[in-house]
Amino acid sequence: MSSFWSLFITVLTLGSIAGYVWVLLANRKTDKKPGETLGHAYDGIEEYDNPLPAWWFWKFVILVIFALGYIVYYPSLGNWKGIGGWTSAGELAADQKAFDEKYAPYFAKFKSIPVEELKDNADAMKIGQRLFSQNCAICHGSTATGYPGFPNLRDDVWLWGGEGETIKQTIMNGRIAAMPAHEAQFSEEQVWDILSYVVSLNGVEQDAKEVERGKALFNGTCFACHGMDAKGNPAIGAPDLTNNVWLYGGDRSEIEKTIAKGRNGVMPSFKDRLGEDKVHILAGYIYSLTAK
């Protein structure tokens, strides 16, 4: 927060309390004698100017003292952090720690069950579904069907492998995928030829000469990651280019952009955020989405 806004909040807060105290004290005494009215009457009701009862007055005083104490202890005045050292992040961390300590044994009991077998455990699947909704749905969608740039987790097509332990390692440690840009290496015509060859691998008829030239270029460069058969390489996250599944979109303009400009995908690590026991259950849930 900037110094200006910090000062603004401080002055506004303390000024409000000071004004409140002034109003309270200013109305503590009256010039009227006991039983004397202000001369106002309406419908038979006369207005007096009696001071607040003592118990009521002191209740307000106590509230003011409490407010000042609260302001001193907690971060209430702009950039003032308070002498208590309290922060919302600290309280959240403490709550999460208490939660983990309470429920850790419950999560741990599923650890001995292989990832592939968790799909048959109803309790594990309920937990896994909640973990997915809270941590994964923002990228892969609430139904796990993905978005452009974020894989569909229901189609049994896996960049890094779909075995239970592989899925678990992907969630635990994250993945970094890199498709290098080739616009400096190939001309626009060459990129187009490679595009035609790749599209032809998916059963779409293309210009024969473009396909022939593209195949030669592919076999000279792209095979290093995708293989001579273009079936991909799960060891490095290189996708299969023959299954008509396109992470960033399958129209020609998007594929051309991928070849020319490259792509960079990052799957974050959840090891520190969730811990291995929760990741184990989450991996079982994701595995269940495509398990036959």
Side-chain angles (χ1 to χ4, degrees):
M1 184 183 300
S2 67
S3 298
F4 170 80
W5 286 113
S6 177
L7 179 63
F8 176 81
I9 292 172
T10 300
V11 172
L12 185 64
T13 302
L14 295 180
S16 297
I17 294 176
Y20 177 81
V21 172
W22 177 82
V23 171
L24 181 65
L25 296 177
N27 290 276
R28 177 61 175 161
K29 295 182 179 181
T30 177
D31 296 331
K32 299 294 182 180
K33 296 179 181 179
E36 186 178 356
T37 70
L38 291 175
H40 303 152
Y42 180 79
D43 199 21
I45 300 174
E46 294 182 303
E47 181 180 359
Y48 290 84
D49 190 26
N50 296 328
L52 290 174
W55 67 268
W56 202 345
F57 172 82
W58 286 108
K59 182 181 75 172
F60 283 125
V61 172
I62 292 172
L63 289 175
V64 170
I65 295 173
F66 174 82
L68 293 175
Y70 184 96
I71 287 173
V72 171
Y73 189 84
Y74 289 102
S76 309
L77 301 175
N79 292 329
W80 165 251
K81 296 182 179 180
I83 63 174
W86 180 93
T87 64
S88 57
E91 183 169 354
L92 174 61
D95 289 344
Q96 290 175 330
K97 182 179 179 181
F99 177 88
D100 289 339
E101 291 175 351
K102 181 177 180 179
Y103 292 101
Y106 183 71
F107 295 127
K109 75 177 186 178
F110 298 103
K111 190 174 182 179
S112 60
I113 304 175
V115 171
E116 290 85 353
E117 296 179 16
L118 285 173
K119 64 182 176 60
D120 300 318
N121 188 298
D123 289 339
M125 291 298 95
K126 289 179 182 178
I127 296 171
Q129 194 280 329
R130 288 194 290 269
L131 288 172
F132 183 90
S133 296
Q134 294 165 0
N135 298 278
C136 312
I138 189 172
C139 291
H140 296 282
S142 59
T143 58
T145 51
Y147 297 104
F150 301 96
N152 181 350
L153 302 180
R154 289 183 175 273
D155 60 5
D156 201 25
V157 175
W158 302 92
L159 292 176
W160 304 90
E163 301 79 14
E165 283 301 316
T166 303
I167 296 173
K168 179 178 177 179
Q169 290 305 312
T170 295
I171 302 171
M172 282 283 288
N173 302 315
R175 301 288 188 180
I176 298 177
M179 163 66 183
H182 289 91
E183 60 184 353
Q185 180 180 2
F186 298 128
S187 65
E188 292 184 10
E189 291 76 13
Q190 289 175 317
V191 168
W192 185 264
D193 290 341
I194 295 174
L195 168 62
S196 295
Y197 171 66
V198 171
V199 171
S200 73
L201 296 175
N202 293 272
V204 181
E205 187 175 350
Q206 301 292 306
D207 182 273
K209 292 184 178 180
E210 291 179 2
V211 171
E212 184 179 358
R213 293 193 300 265
K215 181 178 181 179
L217 292 168
F218 185 96
N219 291 340
T221 302
C222 309
F223 82 96
C225 293
H226 296 281
M228 293 298 291
D229 58 359
K231 294 290 186 179
N233 184 356
I236 58 174
D240 183 345
L241 302 179
T242 68
N243 58 10
N244 205 31
V245 175
W246 307 97
L247 182 58
Y248 292 94
D251 57 79
R252 290 187 68 95
S253 62
E254 287 298 330
I255 300 174
E256 182 181 19
K257 182 178 179 181
T258 297
I259 299 171
K261 303 294 184 181
R263 302 286 188 178
N264 291 285
V266 177
M267 161 69 186
S269 167
F270 285 86
K271 177 173 56 179
D272 296 332
R273 181 173 179 176
L274 295 179
E276 184 174 358
D277 291 346
K278 291 181 184 178
V279 168
H280 187 79
I281 299 172
L282 178 57
Y285 173 75
I286 293 175
Y287 178 84
S288 75
L289 297 177
T290 54
K292 302 296 186 292

